[in-house]
Structures are given as C-alpha cells and as structure tokens.
Amino acid sequence: MAADFKSLGKNEQGALVAGGVAIILSFIGSYVTASYDGPGAGAIGDLGGTNAWTSYATLGILLVIAATAIVGIKAFASDSLPDGVPWNLAALAAAGLGTLLLILRALFPGGADVPGFDVGPGWSGYLLWIAGLALTYFTFTLFKASGDKVPDFNKKDTPPAA
C-alpha cells in the first residue's frame, strides 16, 4: 500500500493529476460559451458561458470524479475495496464515458439556430477535454498493466433463448 504520492507509479500519478485538473476545470464558466455577431450586435457581443455542471455534462463530470476516486482508493487504500471486482476496468469505463459525455455536451450544446449566434466549447472546455482524455489514457494503461480481463458475458454453457 502506497503511503505518499511520490511512491505511486507514473500512471497512477498521471490519472490522479488529470482527474484533479478535470474537476477544477469543470467549475470554470467557459466550458460552453455563447456570442452573437449578427445584426445589432454592438450592444450584445459576448453572451458569456457556463461550466460543466449543466445538462448531461453533469453525469460526465461525476463519472470523471468516480474514475479519479477509484484510482485514488486503489492507490492509497486498496484494502478497503472488495476483491473480485475489476476496479481498473471500472475506472477506465467511467473515465471514457465521462469524457465522451463532456465532449458531446460541448459540441452539441443546443440552442438557437440564429444567424450570428455562436454556441460552442470555450477555452476551459478544450482543456477539460484534454484532461479527460489524459485520465482515460492513464486508466487504460493501469487496466492494461493490471492483467485484468474484460468479463465474458457470452458464456458457452448457457442454452440459447428460444
């Protein structure tokens, strides 16, 4: 059991840092930004933005937090996790799905299809994607190094359905 951050492997350190950065970036209000450059935009211009705690991006960031928590618990208190569960696979699945939801929410934010109205990812959204992709990469390397297998749900001894 590791006692401090420096004694962890590089993949565990990378996953924890990437997850921490993603969590911090999720609170910055430039995840999705909106602006208007159409007729009469002189007084309007930049309409501001929102953080990642909106719509289904909330589920995405909660999955990123779960993946980071799994890696942290495995690194610092692995005795408290039940045996027989592929925790590295769970962290990989949570990180991957969470990152996918964060990317999709920023790319397809919904809103008015009005000429001159622009809604899309902001600077913190792009950085959040990078942090999420880094977390997914590090959890993948942890899964690969662990030797865990993906569960086989197609068992041969199960009779086919009629």
Side-chain angles (χ1 to χ4, degrees), residues 28-119:
I28 297 176
S30 295
Y31 168 64
V32 173
T33 58
S35 63
Y36 180 71
D37 295 327
I44 300 174
D46 184 21
L47 299 173
T50 184
N51 62 23
W53 291 91
T54 57
S55 186
Y56 58 89
T58 301
L59 176 60
I61 199 64
L62 288 173
L63 287 168
V64 166
I65 291 170
T68 306
I70 290 170
V71 172
I73 292 170
K74 275 194 61 65
F76 294 110
S78 62
D79 301 347
S80 63
L81 293 174
D83 293 333
V85 178
W87 291 109
N88 291 313
L89 178 61
L92 172 60
L97 181 59
T99 301
L100 179 65
L101 289 173
L102 289 169
I103 291 171
L104 290 176
R105 173 65 177 121
L107 286 179
F108 304 105
D113 188 20
V114 177
F117 188 70
D118 183 34
V119 179

Side-chain angles (χ1 to χ4, degrees), residues 121-132:
W123 65 269
S124 68
Y126 290 116
L127 292 177
L128 183 56
W129 294 358
I130 292 169

